[in-house]
């Protein structure tokens, strides 16, 4: 299986210039290829193939005076830029055909984009030196902040520059499964919310860190400072970086919290059941800022790939399941309840329920039924019952050594600190 590991890198001044040159050349080739295909579409001509575009926009273009500077970067970087355009078109057409969620057509890239990236494959002859540095063709040896060793030789390396000016190296490695965790009898249902980020069926409540809300005042001052700078000035560029760094700190803290909590839940439970929340719909309400701050979708995605990675089971319960209306003791449907009602008494059996804990228990019960039904269906068809291992998503395999001390709110409330492993 393939896994992606990301580490922080520290290029020197000359290497930053070389990386900027590589970013620019890859962007120009991407835009030239996109323009050629759009012109062919408007004129009704056949769709240009990647091989023809590579010869026209890379090989032949290097001998033209207006594109002679393409020789200053590795050819593999330019070829991979064409592969990225192919992937963008493929995703666009798959969306039109209903094979994946619909997305827009490929767009032209700009040097002012928040994210700049180039990719080196094995043909580029990049390597990791004995001293632990990343050696890239026509760029040099770059210092890497290794936080762990790679399980095997990487097949590709991607260098990324984010909006805050930080550089990262991302490696794709081919490796065996990380090993199925020992089976446990634990099973939990999770009710996600805003006051409490997650409430588990055993009664534990994880407080919502509210990373954006806590940093909102400082971020507002940075944005006000940016709005007062003259457009095109050097001070405005510095202010833009400060705003980007403020957002990056919030995103890093949220991602760290999601990783620690999801890893702890997966290690403790054999089966995890969550509710399939309509995040896009909730993001259009007055709670939009709090919903985005919680990051439910990213957290559930981490649970999903880690469950597959370690041999656990994750079940999504239908969003229309009335988890807050059912009594987890007798199963009586007691009707809808206002959001300000946090505790209620069942009219059938008289049990007193905490609203969120009761919902988590109902999600666990319903998830167990759904998982049992899926297992019986797959077993009848002769398929494998246990979920297969899948590669981790790109954005969730980040490993960066942090210099600042973690705050108390970064740790899930109610958990023993030593018992929360970091993935």
């Amino acid at each position: 299986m393939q896994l992606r590991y990301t580490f922080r890198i520290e290029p020197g001044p000359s290497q930053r210039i070389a990386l900027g040159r590589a970013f620019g050349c890859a962007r120009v080739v991407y835009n030239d290829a996109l323009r050629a295909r759009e012109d062919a579409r408007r004129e009704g001509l056949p769709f240009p193939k990647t091989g023809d575009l590579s010869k026209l926009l890379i090989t032949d273009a290097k001998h033209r005076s207006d594109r002679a500077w393409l020789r200053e970067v590795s050819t593999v970087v330019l070829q991979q830029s064409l592969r990225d355009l192919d992937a963008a078109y493929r995703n666009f057409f798959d969306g039109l055909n209903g094979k994946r969620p619909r997305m827009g057509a490929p767009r032209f890239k700009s040097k002012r984009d928040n994210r700049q990236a180039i990719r080196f494959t094995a043909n580029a002859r990049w390597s990791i030196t004995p001293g632990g540095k990343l050696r890239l063709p026509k760029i040099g040896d770059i210092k890497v902040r290794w936080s762990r060793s790679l399980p095997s030789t990487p097949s590709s390396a991607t260098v990324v520059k984010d909006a805050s000016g930080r550089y990262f190296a991302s490696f794709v490695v081919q490796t065996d499964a990380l090993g199925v965790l020992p089976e446990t009898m634990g099973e939990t249902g999770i009710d996600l919310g805003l006051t409490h980020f997650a409430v588990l069926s055993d009664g534990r409540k994880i407080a919502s860190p509210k990373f954006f809300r806590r940093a909102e005042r400082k971020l507002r001052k940075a944005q006000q400072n940016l709005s007062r700078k003259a457009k095109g000035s050097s001070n405005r560029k510095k202010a833009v970086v400060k705003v980007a760094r403020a957002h990056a700190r919030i995103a890093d803290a949220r991602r760290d919290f999601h990783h620690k909590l999801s890893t702890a839940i997966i290690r403790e439970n054999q089966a995890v059941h969550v509710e399939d929340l309509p995040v896009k719909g909730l993001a259009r309400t007055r709670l939009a800022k709090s919903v985005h701050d919680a990051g439910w979708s990213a957290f559930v995605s981490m649970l999903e790939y880690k469950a597959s990675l370690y041999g656990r089971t994750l079940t999504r319960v239908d969003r229309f399941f009335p988890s807050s209306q059912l009594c987890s003791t007798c199963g009586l449907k007691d009707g809808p309840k206002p959001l300000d009602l946090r505790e209620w008494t069942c009219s059938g059996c008289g049990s007193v329920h905490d609203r969120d804990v009761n919902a988590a228990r109902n999600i666990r019960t319903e998830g167990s039924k759904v998982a049992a039904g899926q297992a019986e269906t797959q077993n009848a068809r002769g398929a494998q019952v246990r979920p297969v291992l899948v590669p981790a998503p790109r954005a969730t395999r980040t490993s960066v050594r942090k210099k600042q001390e973690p705050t108390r709110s970064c740790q899930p409330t109610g958990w023993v600190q030593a018992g929360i492993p970091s993935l």
Side-chain angles (χ1 to χ4, degrees):
M1 64 184 304
Q2 288 185 340
L3 296 177
R4 182 178 294 274
Y5 293 84
T6 304
F7 304 92
R8 183 81 175 270
I9 60 176
E10 297 178 350
S14 60
Q15 294 170 344
R16 291 174 183 264
I17 296 175
L19 286 173
R21 187 183 301 115
F23 292 145
C25 292
R27 182 176 63 251
V28 167
V29 171
Y30 182 95
N31 290 340
D32 289 346
L34 178 57
R35 187 177 297 106
R37 287 181 170 174
E38 288 299 310
D39 292 343
R41 181 186 61 83
R42 283 193 295 267
E43 297 174 4
L45 299 176
F47 197 72
K49 297 182 179 179
T50 303
D52 299 334
L53 291 176
S54 178
K55 184 177 183 302
L56 176 64
L57 302 178
I58 299 178
T59 306
D60 297 342
K62 290 181 179 180
H63 300 286
R64 300 202 313 262
S65 58
D66 60 333
R67 290 290 188 268
W69 32 264
L70 292 177
R71 304 175 187 174
E72 301 177 4
V73 302
S74 173
T75 304
V76 174
V77 170
L78 307 180
Q79 292 173 343
Q80 291 302 311
S81 183
L82 296 180
R83 301 296 183 274
D84 292 340
L85 180 61
D86 289 341
Y89 270 109
R90 184 167 54 254
N91 294 336
F92 170 64
F93 290 126
D94 287 346
L96 295 180
N97 296 330
K99 297 180 180 179
R100 57 166 296 151
R102 180 167 295 190
M103 60 187 307
R107 299 182 300 175
F108 291 99
K109 293 184 177 182
S110 171
K111 65 179 181 180
R112 297 177 180 83
D113 289 342
N114 292 334
R115 185 179 183 273
Q116 303 284 345
I118 54 175
R119 184 166 60 255
F120 297 86
T121 60
N123 295 333
R125 296 183 180 179
W126 63 274
S127 63
I128 299 176
T129 65
K133 293 187 176 182
L134 177 61
R135 178 170 295 171
L136 300 176
K138 298 187 178 182
I139 295 177
D141 297 349
I142 304 177
K143 181 182 178 181
V144 182
R145 292 188 187 178
W146 299 105
S147 58
R148 53 183 170 176
S149 59
L150 297 174
S152 63
T153 303
S155 60
S156 68
T158 303
V159 179
V160 180
K161 179 185 178 183
D162 64 3
S164 61
R166 300 180 300 177
Y167 291 84
F168 298 90
S170 178
F171 303 97
V172 175
V173 298
Q174 189 76 24
T175 181
D176 296 332
L178 297 184
V180 178
L181 291 175
E183 290 193 8
T184 177
M185 299 301 296
E187 184 176 1
T188 186
I190 305 177
D191 179 63
L192 299 175
L194 297 178
T195 303
H196 294 93
F197 176 78
V199 178
L200 306 187
S201 55
D202 59 2
R204 287 180 291 180
K205 297 184 177 182
I206 313 302
S208 181
K210 299 181 180 179
F211 296 105
F212 183 82
R213 293 289 188 181
R214 288 188 301 144
E216 195 171 12
R217 182 176 181 182
K218 184 181 296 185
L219 182 60
R220 184 186 299 113
K221 290 183 178 180
Q223 291 173 330
Q224 290 175 346
N225 187 37
L226 171 62
S227 66
R228 298 188 179 101
K229 298 296 184 293
K231 292 185 178 181
S233 64
S234 299
N235 287 333
R236 183 178 178 84
K237 295 179 181 179
K238 297 176 184 178
V240 168
V241 173
K242 289 183 179 180
V243 173
R245 287 178 178 174
H247 280 289
R249 283 192 291 268
I250 297 172
D252 290 345
R254 183 186 298 114
R255 188 183 304 110
D256 181 69
F257 169 76
H258 287 167
H259 268 302
K260 291 178 178 179
L261 179 58
S262 59
T263 301
I265 292 176
I266 291 298
R267 288 186 181 275
E268 293 177 359
N269 300 278
Q270 184 67 31
V272 180
H273 312 290
V274 295
E275 188 176 9
D276 186 18
L277 295 174
V279 178
K280 289 186 178 180
L282 292 173
R284 300 191 190 102
T285 66
R286 59 186 179 87
L287 300 175
K289 187 180 294 186
S290 298
V291 170
H292 287 302
D293 191 13
W296 293 329
S297 295
F299 175 71
V300 175
S301 297
M302 290 183 186
L303 284 176
E304 189 170 16
Y305 93 79
K306 290 178 182 180
S308 299
L309 196 63
Y310 294 108
R312 302 305 200 198
T313 301
L314 178 75
T315 305
R316 291 176 181 260
V317 177
D318 187 79
R319 65 184 61 177
F320 297 106
F321 174 70
S323 59
S324 299
Q325 303 179 24
L326 296 174
C327 173
S328 59
T329 302
C330 65
L332 175 68
K333 187 175 181 180
D334 216 2
K337 301 169 181 58
L339 290 177
D340 58 349
L341 182 63
R342 309 314 302 174
E343 189 175 289
W344 57 280
T345 303
C346 176
S347 59
C349 62
S351 300
V352 180
H353 295 294
D354 180 279
R355 180 192 183 99
D356 297 329
V357 176
N358 177 73
R361 291 172 179 171
N362 288 327
I363 291 174
R364 180 189 59 186
T365 304
E366 181 67 14
S368 300
K369 296 179 182 178
V370 174
Q374 292 176 351
E376 291 178 0
T377 303
Q378 292 175 352
N379 195 21
R381 296 176 180 176
Q384 186 177 2
V385 176
R386 172 168 288 178
V388 297
L389 299 177
V390 297
R394 177 190 299 267
T396 58
R397 294 295 296 173
T398 302
S399 176
V400 181
R401 184 176 299 170
K402 294 180 173 60
K403 295 182 179 180
Q404 65 271 20
E405 293 294 331
T407 59
R408 289 185 59 188
S409 58
C410 292
Q411 303 294 340
T413 305
W415 244 280
V416 180
Q417 301 298 326
I420 303 181
S422 178
L423 183 63

